[in-house]
Amino acid sequence: MHLVAKLLVVLFGLAIGIQAKIRRPVTESCLYCICEALNGCNATAVCVNGACGIFRINWNRWVDSGRLTIPGDSPLSYHAFTNCANDPICAAETVQSYMAKFGQDCNDDDKEDCYDYGAIHYKGPRNCQEDLPYFYDRTFTCCVRKAVQLEEERQKFLSRF
């Protein structure tokens, strides 16, 4: 019995270590702009046509991201996908995991940034170079520009001290 208990402790420790090392390439403001462009960050539309939560995550995206779960849930449970996709924190971690795995420069500006993540999230990594729908693109771009402007103003303010 001691061997099983030790093995469980080691496996649990490895799982925590793996979770702690998830690369998070997407800034919080970029995550906000993605959900704002998708649906105004409307958390009341739980699942529509297989896309769930504020980031409209589908089953395949969740699986490709590593089947992340809310605390206490198992990736194998029947409701694990919908529980995660409808939880803002788990859903944001799913987006982070997906972008860490599939992030790329979609607009040929020689950097991987929020514009690329917005395109990947909407079109997928294979089609992220394609044009985005007008409303999504306009809403997303305006949001990102405002976020950049606010960050620049914040940096100016902080530099005075």
Side-chain angles (χ1 to χ4, degrees), residues 35-161:
C35 83
E36 182 66 28
L38 287 169
N39 61 14
C41 298
N42 180 0
T44 60
V46 182
C47 291
V48 178
N49 297 325
C52 301
I54 60 173
F55 295 107
R56 313 312 301 147
I57 295 169
N58 64 31
W59 170 269
N60 291 335
R61 175 85 38 109
W62 178 71
V63 170
D64 288 344
S65 300
R67 294 177 180 243
L68 301 179
T69 61
I70 59 173
D73 213 348
S74 162
L76 303 176
S77 76
Y78 181 75
H79 296 288
F81 159 65
T82 54
N83 288 345
C84 178
N86 289 312
D87 178 83
I89 294 169
C90 191
E93 288 297 317
T94 298
V95 173
Q96 293 284 12
S97 178
Y98 192 82
M99 296 308 162
K101 189 173 181 181
F102 294 105
Q104 60 184 290
D105 177 18
C106 298
N107 57 3
D108 294 323
D109 64 355
D110 296 322
K111 60 185 175 186
E112 189 178 304
D113 60 17
C114 187
Y115 292 104
D116 301 307
Y117 301 138
I120 292 166
H121 191 75
Y122 196 91
K123 290 285 194 173
R126 289 186 189 91
N127 300 312
C128 67
Q129 298 85 5
E130 294 178 5
D131 290 337
L132 294 165
Y134 175 77
F135 182 78
Y136 177 86
D137 187 43
R138 192 177 112 227
T139 305
F140 180 76
T141 302
C142 272
C143 183
V144 172
R145 285 183 184 150
K146 284 180 190 173
V148 168
Q149 182 182 6
L150 285 172
E151 181 58 26
E152 288 171 354
E153 290 173 11
R154 187 176 85 76
Q155 290 299 329
K156 273 187 198 175
F157 176 77
L158 292 175
S159 70
R160 292 190 274 172
F161 298 102

Side-chain angles (χ1 to χ4, degrees), residues 1-11:
M1 195 63 140
H2 290 301
L3 181 61
V4 172
K6 287 180 184 179
L7 183 60
L8 287 174
V9 169
V10 169
L11 289 175

